[in-house]
Amino acid sequence: MTTVTTQPKITWEKLPDDFPLPDDPVDNIDQPTLAAALSDSLEQTGRLQETMLVATNYGVCARLDGKIVVKAPDWMYVPRINVSQEIVRRSYTPHLQGDIPGIVIEFLSDTEGSEYSSKPTYPPGKWYFYEQVLRVPQYGIFEPEEGVLEMYQLNDAGHYVLQPPQQNRYWVEALGLFLGVWQGRKGNRQGYWLRWWDESGQLVPWGVELVEQERLRVQALIEQLRAAGIEPEV
């Protein structure tokens, strides 16, 4: 016997102000750090505008057959919102308040299979929500311990298919950047990170790297002046 699952009626309404949002702890202490690093380089290099939305562990809302569904991606990017940042401080409703996310990313957690859940019944799984409800063009799942990134692209049939990498990176259309895995240290964490590269293959720097680049530039200038017999004022 074949079971047919009917597509729910989807509506886009503002989340009621008194709706209790989940306040669950993150599954892994590294998740906020990894997410913040993704936003850091975009912000420090001037790639974020007031009309865009970048959020971490933040509620994205829809109603399925009249029932409120809220999912909180570990990281997401929305190309354009049509309301002020203040209005979407608590949650975000696509179509009503702006574009659908251009990309969502989940960091693989100890909750086995939750990032891959295509459960269509209420409450739906993450995969189903991103693919069939929001129809997010790209969905990334990152396993930080081994540094494995899976990137899925929404195809013409409306289903996610595994996206092949280009030199171990993935083109993210919404941002006009490549996303890939980088190994190294930031702050007190040594390990694998998700990072951005531009079209020319240049790594998009974090704020701390920009500071170091400026320090080295100033130091090189000081050395040039001293070589010319000029003692700079520092």
Side-chain angles (χ1 to χ4, degrees), residues 52-101:
M52 300 172 178
L53 178 63
V54 170
T56 301
N57 198 29
Y58 164 85
V60 185
C61 314
R63 283 182 185 263
L64 306 186
D65 293 332
K67 298 178 180 178
I68 296 174
V69 176
V70 181
K71 296 293 181 185
D74 290 329
W75 191 89
M76 75 166 187
Y77 166 77
V78 178
R80 184 189 61 85
I81 60 173
N82 54 30
V83 295
S84 70
Q85 294 280 343
E86 183 64 33
I87 289 176
V88 294
R89 183 172 297 278
R90 187 167 182 263
S91 65
Y92 177 68
T93 304
H95 298 290
L96 176 69
Q97 296 173 325
D99 295 343
I100 61 171

Side-chain angles (χ1 to χ4, degrees), residues 60-178:
V60 185
C61 314
R63 283 182 185 263
L64 306 186
D65 293 332
K67 298 178 180 178
I68 296 174
V69 176
V70 181
K71 296 293 181 185
D74 290 329
W75 191 89
M76 75 166 187
Y77 166 77
V78 178
R80 184 189 61 85
I81 60 173
N82 54 30
V83 295
S84 70
Q85 294 280 343
E86 183 64 33
I87 289 176
V88 294
R89 183 172 297 278
R90 187 167 182 263
S91 65
Y92 177 68
T93 304
H95 298 290
L96 176 69
Q97 296 173 325
D99 295 343
I100 61 171
I103 181 173
V104 296
I105 296 174
E106 295 284 356
F107 303 118
L108 205 60
S109 67
D110 296 332
T111 309
E112 185 177 355
S114 64
E115 292 82 7
Y116 297 95
S117 175
S118 57
K119 183 173 81 74
T121 53
Y122 187 88
K126 289 180 179 178
W127 182 289
Y128 180 88
F129 188 72
Y130 301 149
E131 178 192 68
Q132 297 298 314
V133 179
L134 298 184
R135 300 191 180 279
V136 178
Q138 286 177 289
Y139 178 26
I141 300 176
F142 181 52
E143 197 288 291
E145 291 299 317
E146 300 296 327
V148 176
L149 172 62
E150 299 173 4
M151 184 66 72
Y152 295 89
Q153 181 88 36
L154 199 67
N155 66 11
D156 292 340
H159 297 288
Y160 282 138
V161 294
L162 192 62
Q163 186 177 346
Q166 304 175 38
Q167 298 180 338
N168 296 319
R169 298 168 196 161
Y170 300 88
W171 180 248
V172 178
E173 185 67 33
L175 279 156
L177 294 170
F178 287 99

